[in-house]
Amino acid sequence: MNFPILSTLIFLPLLGSVFIFLSNKQESNKGAKYVALFTSCANFLLSIFLWYSFDPTIANFQFVEEKNWISGFIKFKLGIDGISILFIVLTTFIIPICIISCINSIKKRMNEFLISILILETFMIGVFCSLDLVIFYLFFEAGLIPMFLIIGIWGGPKRVYSAFKFFLYTLLGSVLMLVAIITIYWSTGTTDIVEIINEIKIPSELQYVLWLAFFSSFAVKMPMWPVHTWLPDAHVEAPTAGSVILAAILLKMAGYGFLRFSIPMFPIASEYFTPLVFVLSIVAIIYTSLVALMQDDMKKLIAYSSVAHMGYVTLGIFTFTKYGVEGGMFQMISHGLISAALFLCVGVLYDRTHSRMISDYGGVVDYIPKFSFIFIIFTLGALGLPGTSGFIGEFLVLVGTFQKNYLAAILAGLGVILCAAYMLWLAKRVIFGKIINSKIETLKDLNFSEMLILVLLGLTVLVFGFYPGPLFETMGVSVDNLINNYQLSLKENIVTNN
Amino acid sequence: MEYAVVFLPLVGAILSYFGKFFGNLFSQIFSCLLVSISAILSIIIFYNGYTNNIYGNYQIFEWISSGEFNANWSILIDPLSTVMLVTVTTVSSLVHIYSIGYMSHDPHKPRFMSYLSLFTFSMITLVVSDNFLQLFFGWEGVGLCSYLLIGFWYKRNSANNAAIKAFIVNRVGDLGLAIAIFLMFFYFGSVNFSEIFSLIPEFADEKISFFGSDYNLITLICLFLFVGAMGKSAQFLLHTWLPDAMEGPTPVSALIHAATMVTAGVFLVVRCSPIYEFSQAALTFIAIIGMVTAIFAASVAIVQNDIKKIIAYSTCSQLGYMFFATGVGAYHVAIFHLFTHAFFKALLFLGAGSVIHAFKDEQDIRKMGGVWKKIPITFILMIVGTLALTGFPFLSGFYSKDAIIEFSYLRNSSIGNYATVVGIFTAFLTSIYSWRLIFKTFYGKYNNKVIPINKTHESPLIMLIPLFFLGIGAIFSGYFFKEMFIGNLNNIFWKESIFFLKEIKHDYIPLWLLLSTPVLVIVAIPISYYYFIYNQNILENFKKTNMPLYNFLLNKWYIDELYDYLFVNPLKKIGKFFWKKGDEDTIDRFGPDGISKVIKFFSNKAVQFQSGYIYDYAFVMLIGLSALITYLILN
């Protein structure tokens, strides 16, 4: 395994963006689009090859690359396991879709937009590959910058407010994480994640503080109640592609962070703070579902529903049961596909009428039947209908939660009912009913590129709904390993305390 | 063959949806053809099972496998599922054919046929499942199709609201079912029927703590399962969606909201008879809910004026019968009633559809009347359906409904005795409201002012042929299958698929009991005629003097209003409150906006220092310097 496949994955998009940057501005858009599309598709194929050659029966990290960066201090170390590979494939799958979607929606500074997206891809894949805390932190934070620009430059009327809100919220959490990383280096002498997980036991008193520091960063990113208010604003103002990346991948970094750092590094603290996470998740599920019910802006509604869906993820992860964790993982992947598609759908409508208000629509099914059909499929996916990928994640999370706390599972189950209510009500007001707005009559149905990306997403949602086997196979051993290590360290802790 | 039964309707659904590119006829023919083949095959399977004992469990492929949580896609063929298969596919294929005629003026025929086929597929996956998860898939799948079909005429606001209501009320029930599945998985470590059923006896006395007090595990599971069944089968308190669901096209009402989907709850309880048999408490609860539903729905049906709503409440009431049959432990009788009910209720609905067709989409029975000569075939078939429903001797309803009453009596317990009384009384009410419907629709004066009487017409042949087949089913299905389902052959037929802890012996039944129901049912016909046609003034006067009672019944006991008041409006208010007061006024105000305001305030202050004038800076330096010197001197 000499070919540095992970580095290639990370830096290929960067290379693409350099190409676009250097390309002649005059003949601009067309060439840039093809370059971007080509690099991102090549990256997707590469990640599929990676997935194919990945061995799901091994719990250890694979494809490990290691280079000294600042000697004796920071190593540039990469590697993947069954958890991160899925996020990488998700990222490389979503990015080409975003790039195709820009063709219709971005009107100004196309080249710069594509550069931002490709750079963002580099950072996101970096996050999921890095095996060194400092490298992880760099990628994690660097991702903020392109996203900040995407919202701030290509966003809606209130874009500056939203961009700053997004930036401040996430930065505030991350600063604490940086402090925690420095603390870890001082107390253990290394920032190598594998070493910390496998060989070093962090004293339990320290674990509590560090866990909280990491948590503050991840909770904002997730986002969990009550630090979720940046998300609706960011989504509303962001351009379609920005919303898609935000919902599909950036939010997943937090869930990944819990799995990669919080639980394996600070098992005792994770156990200790489980009730906190449970309460916040359940509040998030019910509170944001109710808020979503009353929204009159489509994007805001979907943004709030994202918060509720992420509540299931945290709930599942912190059950520390196999079904719960796998359910949480599955929910993340599935939400990545479904919410991306829903934002794309809203984008399709917005490109045509320049309105996101639900009250401006109604009865569109007569004029854009293909769109309506696809929108309904994703609505059903979002409300977790069996046969779509949305169901499996939610159901397994609830199975896992029930083992820990039946009350939590029942309350979270109420969220499923509320979700049906707000999604179906949304569909009713947008798709069905009488036509109120005369603009609707001039709508054009999906064009080829929109059809292509939505059908791709739709098929993925359905296929994983009926045959989720490949995902479970890939993550199975890694999740087992995670839970075993977790339980082992809890046991050791009890023994040493006695 | 088993695979074909399950997947042909799915193929039909896909083909007919995309078949719109080849024209409507293509869609209609293909969906009808595939579902009919599926029906014929399921009859063959039923026959093979009964005569040659060919049963089996076919695993298709793994669905979810996470740790010990395993569920497969499977086809379980046992006596219970074959009975359900036959019921579902035959009624479905007849409804498919009928729809060609009924929907002939609708622009969205392929979509309609596709939904019907998709529904059939979901229902089949539900009944052939060998585990709770696939059952849940079918369970929600039929809910989805019901949602799509109720809201089929999407331009009507009322249809959309009814569709959403149906889905959400069903979801409440589904949550109950899901909790039952969680409980079973937690304690038994499996979601497979056979594995769970084999473990039940060991856990019979297990107590678990739930919401602060101890409950019997089995009872708890049974009750949560039953919540699911209540939602799907529109039992009291979760019944509100069913009458509203009549917004959908009539063939849908016949197939989904009468013959098949709503009976899924009964099927679930019967399928889980190995669990229910170990919980007397749960059975009693089911019996009570069943009885309440039976009487409640019958009482409401008497005063309704919409032809479809009357039949909908009648369905609700008959489902109540099935449930209290299971509640007294007569599972096979419940399935028998389910089987016969599917025929006569589908017949009634499709007949009603034919009447509505004749009146050009009029559903109010006050605006009908006197047309029996104009639509004689529909009239005769409706009479057949009504006779079968009311339990007129020797028609199908007679065998199944009387069997429920008899078995309740034979149970020989207090709940059984109540059930007997309720059963007889409700049968009387059933007869009254059913004949009211017939008399108001076909007899008396012609009351429609919009369409002249000679413009009303009989339905085309393609609608009448399915009615004819259903009519045959309504007449003979009771007589032919009674020995097999509930008679002496029932042990041989049902085998292990229905479990009895202690079987009810079918022995001596007093003559008064045997005679009371048929006599009451027949007596109800002249009574009904007298009050609703011959001398309407008596009822009008009664209505005027008892307005509160009449309104109470007309408004369905005010349950919808109660739910709006208790759940819908408060939830909306809370949602708004959380959004405006919670997110915007609290979190944002004290969070990011507050912080940025504070920072802005201080930076504004700081800006004032940087005035750019030398003397300002000099002044500040002077103050600083003097403060420093003071400090040093004082030290």
Side-chain angles (χ1 to χ4, degrees), chain B residues 336-400:
Chain B
F336 186 45
H337 194 53
L338 186 162
F339 180 72
T340 57
H341 175 258
F343 292 105
F344 59 70
K345 195 48 73 62
L347 173 64
L348 278 175
F349 260 122
L350 294 184
S354 183
V355 172
I356 294 167
H357 202 73
F359 281 95
K360 303 241 169 5
D361 299 331
E362 181 56 63
Q363 304 195 359
D364 193 329
I365 53 169
R366 286 171 301 186
K367 294 178 183 159
M368 299 177 179
V371 289
W372 67 275
K373 276 185 188 155
K374 298 290 292 181
I375 44 175
I377 304 174
T378 307
F379 171 63
I380 291 167
L381 288 164
M382 285 289 277
I383 294 276
V384 168
T386 303
L387 288 174
L389 165 67
T390 53
F392 194 82
F394 312 115
L395 271 73
S396 61
F398 168 72
Y399 293 103
S400 56

Side-chain angles (χ1 to χ4, degrees), chain B residues 42-53:
Chain B
S42 45
I43 291 171
I44 296 173
I45 291 175
F46 175 78
Y47 181 78
N48 274 343
Y50 180 58
T51 53
N52 303 330
N53 204 8

Side-chain angles (χ1 to χ4, degrees), chain A residues 384 386 391 394-396 398-400 402-403 406 409-410 412-414 416-417, chain B residues 69 132-133 135-137 139-140 170-186 190-191 210 220-221 223-229 268:
Chain A
F391 166 71
E394 257 171 29
F395 198 83
L396 284 179
L398 292 180
V399 167
F402 199 86
Q403 320 254 322
Y406 61 87
I410 293 172
L414 290 178
V416 179
I417 299 174
Chain B
F69 193 92
F132 277 103
L133 209 65
L135 182 121
F136 195 77
F137 168 81
W139 197 260
E140 290 239 311
N170 267 303
R171 270 253 152 148
V172 176
D174 294 352
L175 179 62
L177 177 57
I179 292 172
I181 297 175
F182 301 151
L183 267 172
M184 285 186 279
F185 179 69
F186 188 31
S190 170
V191 291
F210 203 74
L220 214 52
I221 292 175
L223 289 180
F224 277 118
L225 279 175
F226 184 59
V227 171
L268 177 71

Side-chain angles (χ1 to χ4, degrees), chain B residues 446-501:
Chain B
Y446 185 78
N447 289 324
N448 198 313
K449 297 191 177 65
V450 186
I451 309 156
I453 186 160
N454 46 13
K455 282 278 171 67
T456 57
H457 60 87
E458 186 61 277
S459 300
L461 209 55
I462 196 145
M463 283 165 70
L464 293 178
I465 291 172
L467 281 180
F468 182 68
F469 277 106
L470 287 172
I472 293 176
I475 297 173
F476 298 110
S477 64
Y479 178 75
F480 275 122
F481 291 99
K482 73 170 195 306
E483 281 299 306
M484 196 163 142
F485 281 20
I486 56 170
N488 299 327
L489 297 175
N490 88 71
N491 282 333
I492 306 167
F493 176 66
W494 292 111
K495 300 202 172 53
E496 261 83 72
S497 65
I498 294 179
F499 176 80
F500 297 99
L501 204 59

Side-chain angles (χ1 to χ4, degrees), chain A residues 241-402:
Chain A
S243 287
V244 170
I245 296 181
L246 190 60
I249 308 161
L250 284 183
L251 303 188
K252 311 300 176 289
M253 287 182 179
Y256 174 74
F258 282 128
L259 291 170
R260 177 68 72 237
F261 303 100
S262 301
I263 294 175
M265 287 185 189
F266 324 120
I268 300 158
S270 296
E271 169 79 8
Y272 181 78
F273 286 114
T274 300
L276 172 74
V277 177
F278 266 45
V279 169
L280 290 183
S281 308
I282 286 171
V283 171
I285 291 170
I286 292 182
Y287 178 106
T288 50
S289 295
L290 286 171
V291 175
L293 199 60
M294 297 314 294
Q295 294 305 310
D296 33 30
D297 180 319
M298 288 190 271
K299 263 191 158 178
K300 255 195 168 160
L301 192 152
I302 300 168
Y304 273 111
S305 88
S306 288
V307 181
H309 281 117
M310 287 298 110
Y312 289 99
V313 174
T314 41
L315 203 58
I317 290 175
F318 280 84
T319 59
F320 310 112
T321 55
K322 179 135 197 235
Y323 345 101
V325 176
E326 290 197 346
M329 279 285 297
F330 205 93
Q331 174 79 344
M332 280 195 267
I333 306 284
S334 147
H335 176 262
L337 301 168
I338 293 170
S339 67
L342 283 172
F343 279 120
L344 285 169
C345 285
V346 176
V348 166
L349 286 178
Y350 185 77
D351 289 343
R352 285 161 173 70
T353 63
H354 299 284
S355 167
R356 292 183 313 261
M357 288 299 143
I358 297 173
S359 53
D360 285 346
Y361 295 93
V364 303
V365 63
D366 275 337
Y367 296 92
I368 42 176
K370 285 181 209 158
F371 168 83
S372 306
F373 179 75
I374 289 177
F375 187 82
I376 293 291
I377 288 198
F378 290 116
T379 302
L380 298 174
L383 60 82
L385 193 85
T388 63
S389 59
F391 166 71
I392 296 173
E394 257 171 29
F395 198 83
L396 284 179
V397 165
L398 292 180
V399 167
T401 311
F402 199 86

